[in-house]
Amino acid sequence: MTDDAFPRIRSVGTDGLLVSFADRLSEPANRAALALRAAVDRAGWSGVEETSTSLVSAYLRFDPLGPGAENLRARLESLLAERDWTTADLPDGRRFFRIPTVYGPDRAPQLAEAAELAGMSVQQAIDSIAAARVRVTTIGFAPGQPYLGELPEQWDIPRQSALTATVPMGALVVAIRQLVLFSVTTPTGWRHIGQTAFRLFRPDSETPFVLRPGDEAQFVPVAPGELANMDDDPDGGATSEVIR
Amino acid sequence: MSGVLIVHSAGPGVTVQDRGRSGTLAFGLSRGGAMDRLALAEGAALLGQPGTLATLELAGMGGRFEASRDLRIALTGAPMRASLTLAPQGAVHGNAPQGAVQGGRLVWGASHLLPAGATLDIGPVTAGAYGYLHVGGGIDVPQVLGARSAHLAAGLGRVIKAGDRLPLGKDAGQGTGLALPPSDRFGGGVVRVVASLQTGLFPQDQLDRFARTEFRRDTRANRMGVRLDGAGEGFAVSGGLSVVSELIVPGDIQVTGDGAPFVLMAESQTTGGYPRIATVLPCDLPRVAQAPAGAVLEFRFVTMAEALEAERRHRNDISALAGQIQPLVRDPHDIRDLLAYQLISGVTAGNDL
């Protein structure tokens, strides 16, 4: 395995290994990451303390003074050799969410700026985002918070060079052909183009994390007044159905 | 539950903390937990109890506390001004009236008895950033998603406020008036790092400059991350604003678009797109957490083998803490009020004077 080849295994700090299937978001790499993590969880190797996935990678955290990175690296290599992970099935029980969204300027001040970077008018930008049916590629950054992709090519716009001090919970932000729906109020380098009332993290509920990798979503435009009426509903007016 | 810790006042950053959560990373929830994990171990050693119990983390400023029962406490992490005032005897125990004992100074890095009804005042830090108030039996708030830690960035738990009554766990241990030797981790210094996933994206001249820069801890710092100021130009990778978002672990040093490094801490995000120039060794993270604003921090790359050896030594040091504990011994001239000293050292039960 050369440095440029995928899958690639790299160390994360002193106590982690990361298996990456690509160096940019791709659907097959995302599938592979989800499937490999599930296989590692099933294998139940001793010393592994936690696993997760990011967009294109599966992660293992382990006791660095336990079985050690070399032992786990060898196990990962033989697991990787078992099959072509990029053609693995998506997780079972996937759902499709339609989430009411207010686009621009009062609730989401960076819509015009993002549209300009994408080479569109504001209306074209709304139409383009609203028409996209995007998939949850990973849950990350903040609790229950989905990365969703992939948007059309024009949306390959960079992050900002400086952080926005805060965007509110429920904010829909965009960069590099992806959307993120914020589960908390937080600083970000992505541009705020829409606002929802959908609550992604419900710590007191039996399902504290609502979305899962593989779920799909569409961000349906609504008038600002309509969204205000949904602020008391944790689903923010969203509907969902199981994908068959 | 076994009594309560009553909060009469609290600084702006007082939270319940333990070792944080494991197993929630896949759902976007980082481990969280105490900023200075070594301070947790020190508190556990001083009170002779497990390091898994919850404690109060005091960011920069303490507060005024009272216990509903006689309570063993330990004070660790960043040193803070602490004093104990006994309640008028009649009010608490119904014994012969006795005036309040004012302002018995408490030694930091030590365990003490906080008699029922007495007032514990903890002021600002005198060095470092995060002090810890440990209690015998631990703070017994309910577990949420596997831990008692507040995770402010995630909206789990909240800061402690005046009027709060925190449930105390049952104290299975005994003894106070013990101290640990002082630590030197409260004024910045040299911090060891290993290469991160993305270290290779940075040109070698930038890595060299990173390793010889004396950074100052910015005033912008919280439980998510600590911003660093370097005197010269910033750091950047070409195409850095479009790097694929990737997993983040505590200790990662992220370079945002303005070129300033951020050390990501207990409540960091779990993924992010800004490139990471290096990752701080877990055993050196307390030094970063405890660097006060303006303190100088420098970073030295070490090999993985050196990092593992450092981790091994660190764990040995933690195991050795219990053996380093000494009875509190002070020069009588330093003791403002011998009566108070006797009480807080645990020599008496507090109601028999």
Side-chain angles (χ1 to χ4, degrees), chain B residues 17 21 97 117 136 152 162 166 177 202 205 209 302 316 322 329:
Chain B
Q17 293 298 336
R21 295 171 175 81
L152 301 178
L166 301 169
F202 290 83
D205 63 315
R209 186 158 57 82
V302 298
N316 288 343
V329 180

Side-chain angles (χ1 to χ4, degrees), chain B residues 10-17 35-36 56-63 65 76-80 108 122-133 152 159-160 217 221-223 289-290:
Chain B
V14 177
T15 55
V16 175
Q17 293 298 336
M35 288 286 278
D36 180 351
L56 280 187
E57 180 175 277
L58 316 169
M61 182 71 200
F65 307 93
T76 72
M80 304 172 100
W108 205 261
I122 304 181
V125 290
T126 55
Y130 291 94
Y132 293 83
L133 166 59
L152 301 178
V159 293
I160 298 302
R217 205 215 76 173
N222 57 28
R223 293 182 41 80
Q290 292 289 12

